[in-house]
Amino acid sequence: MDEKKFSIENADKFGKYYSDDNFWAKVKKIASKAGRQIIQPALELYYVLLSQDVPIKSKGIIIGALGYLILPTDLIPDFIPILGFGDDATALALALKMVSDNVTPEIKAKAEAKANEIFGC
């Protein structure tokens, strides 16, 4: 997945699937199958999105990536063992890379605490 294409197309194409309610419903639904390697980056992006200091372009990138995670049918269906969440992981990783300047230690800590709560750690 190309970074430029990802940033331009995602907000329009996948952003329509994003909402807070849809995000939390998807996290709850897939957490046990997807694991922490998918959920924690998604949480980091979510908490960056809530931050007041994030540029609108970065918010668009995040909404696109989280929308892709929420998307009911994506490139590789989530129910396919091993590969199912690979495309989601790629989208989340690219988005995190693109907005990494906005991921503060506080956001990382908040995402980790929420992931610990979700996974019972």
Side-chain angles (χ1 to χ4, degrees), residues 26-95:
K26 185 71 171 198
V27 165
K28 182 178 178 181
K29 181 179 178 182
I30 68 166
S32 64
K33 291 182 218 164
R36 193 175 189 119
Q37 66 274 14
I38 299 293
I39 300 302
Q40 188 152 345
L43 291 169
E44 286 182 20
L45 288 169
Y46 176 77
Y47 291 124
V48 170
L49 182 63
L50 296 181
S51 176
Q52 299 295 324
D53 302 327
V54 178
I56 197 78
K57 180 180 177 185
S58 294
K59 288 187 180 223
I61 291 167
I62 293 167
I63 287 170
L66 294 179
Y68 188 79
L69 177 67
I70 294 165
L71 185 70
T73 56
D74 54 20
L75 187 60
I76 303 172
D78 295 340
F79 64 83
I80 296 176
I82 302 171
L83 299 175
F85 290 103
D87 57 332
D88 298 295
T90 300
L92 295 171
L94 278 173

Side-chain angles (χ1 to χ4, degrees), residues 89-104:
T90 300
L92 295 171
L94 278 173
L96 267 175
K97 180 181 175 190
M98 295 169 75
V99 302
S100 63
D101 290 345
N102 302 107
V103 183
T104 65

Side-chain angles (χ1 to χ4, degrees), residues 14-31:
F14 304 122
K16 65 184 173 188
Y17 296 100
Y18 177 80
S19 74
D20 282 358
D21 289 340
N22 288 345
F23 173 75
W24 289 112
K26 185 71 171 198
V27 165
K28 182 178 178 181
K29 181 179 178 182
I30 68 166

